[in-house]
Amino acid sequence: MNSELRRRGIYLLPNLLTTAALFSGFYAIVQAMTGRFEHAAVAIFIAMVFDGLDGRVARMTRTQSAFGAEYDSLSDMVSFGAAPALIAFEWAMKGMGKWGWIAAFVYCAGAALRLARFNTNIGIVDKRYFQGLPSPAAAALVAGFVWIINDLNIPGEEVRWYAFALTLFAGITMVSTVPYWSGKDINLRRSVPFIVLPAIVLGYGLVSSYPPGILFALFLAYALSGYVMALWKRSRRKHNAGDS
């Protein structure tokens, strides 16, 4: 009986982390509806942390399940699909009429399509790269913009067209075929040079110096990196075709 309880407890652990990510997304929606946009943006980043942990914990404890995978997708749709769209709309695009809700819907639909494509392409695509911008990164891009502008005490209505363009960009990029490095080829169990540890410490220090600006800059750079990679691959193909 103790062994059975322990086994059930292990299976419960990743789903608890997924529930925490779902709660963070729901909390972000509630905060956006009450006008506390900074809290809403931070909640999206907290959801990202829990979302990144649940899958890794499941693999480390060998507790992967079909239920966990489906639950994780539904949680992602709330935290990285509906929540960022609603935050951006309530914060900056509410006064734009139909253009505001169209941009929010494009983002929300892009997240849903991105998650559906990811689930159906598991085992088919190269695991080293994502096809399209991952929904957590897209959510961080939108939430990071809300966070940094709010931190600068600039009303959302003054930057509504920037929010409109960024929301559309994130939504369309999620359903694009632009490749993004996944980081899944990193082996955490393999030894690394000592310089890696000070670099990680420096990275933490850099982020903690000004979280809104640094996080937004990091995810903006990641969002643009896919297009840079796509252009680089395209130029290489043209160069190789010319040589042949």
Side-chain angles (χ1 to χ4, degrees):
M1 183 177 292
N2 290 336
S3 177
E4 180 68 14
L5 288 174
R6 183 165 58 252
R7 185 184 68 83
R8 289 182 180 178
I10 292 174
Y11 278 95
L12 182 63
L13 182 57
N15 291 323
L16 284 176
L17 293 171
T18 303
T19 303
L22 176 61
F23 174 78
S24 299
F26 176 77
Y27 180 81
I29 293 175
V30 173
Q31 295 304 300
M33 293 173 64
T34 57
R36 304 175 70 180
F37 298 109
E38 183 174 351
H39 292 78
V42 172
I44 296 296
F45 284 98
I46 294 175
M48 287 183 61
V49 174
F50 286 121
D51 181 67
L53 287 174
D54 60 2
R56 285 167 175 79
V57 168
R59 287 188 292 271
M60 290 175 62
T61 56
R62 298 181 180 180
T63 55
Q64 303 101 316
S65 65
F67 172 83
E70 294 297 327
Y71 187 31
D72 181 67
S73 293
L74 294 172
S75 172
D76 288 352
M77 185 57 213
V78 173
S79 299
F80 309 130
L86 180 62
I87 292 170
F89 178 79
E90 288 287 332
W91 174 65
M93 300 187 297
K94 183 187 294 186
M96 297 176 67
K98 64 180 180 180
W99 295 108
W101 64 257
I102 287 175
F105 175 73
V106 167
Y107 177 92
C108 192
L113 293 169
R114 171 68 176 79
L115 290 167
R117 184 177 64 184
F118 176 80
N119 291 338
T120 56
N121 285 350
I122 294 178
I124 300 176
V125 297
D126 188 349
K127 291 184 178 180
R128 296 175 301 170
Y129 300 99
F130 291 121
Q131 189 179 23
L133 183 66
S135 57
L141 187 63
V142 174
F145 182 69
V146 174
W147 192 3
I148 189 173
I149 297 299
N150 192 77
D151 188 69
L152 295 173
N153 294 319
I154 299 175
E157 292 183 355
E158 293 186 8
V159 294
R160 57 185 179 181
W161 285 108
Y162 294 102
F164 172 84
L166 188 69
T167 304
L168 274 182
F169 169 77
I172 294 172
T173 306
M174 278 191 285
V175 295
S176 69
T177 56
V178 175
Y180 284 91
W181 181 59
S182 67
K184 293 183 179 180
D185 52 347
I186 298 177
N187 188 356
L188 297 178
R189 297 181 180 180
R190 187 173 56 188
S191 61
V192 295
F194 177 76
I195 191 64
V196 174
L197 185 59
I200 293 174
V201 174
L202 180 62
Y204 281 132
L206 185 63
V207 171
S208 63
S209 64
Y210 185 48
I214 299 301
L215 288 174
F216 176 70
L218 287 175
F219 283 102
L220 179 61
Y222 180 70
L224 296 176
S225 69
Y227 290 94
V228 173
M229 187 185 304
L231 291 174
W232 179 70
K233 289 184 176 181
R234 184 177 180 181
S235 64
R236 282 195 62 185
R237 284 196 299 266
K238 287 186 176 180
H239 179 72
N240 294 336
D243 291 341
S244 60

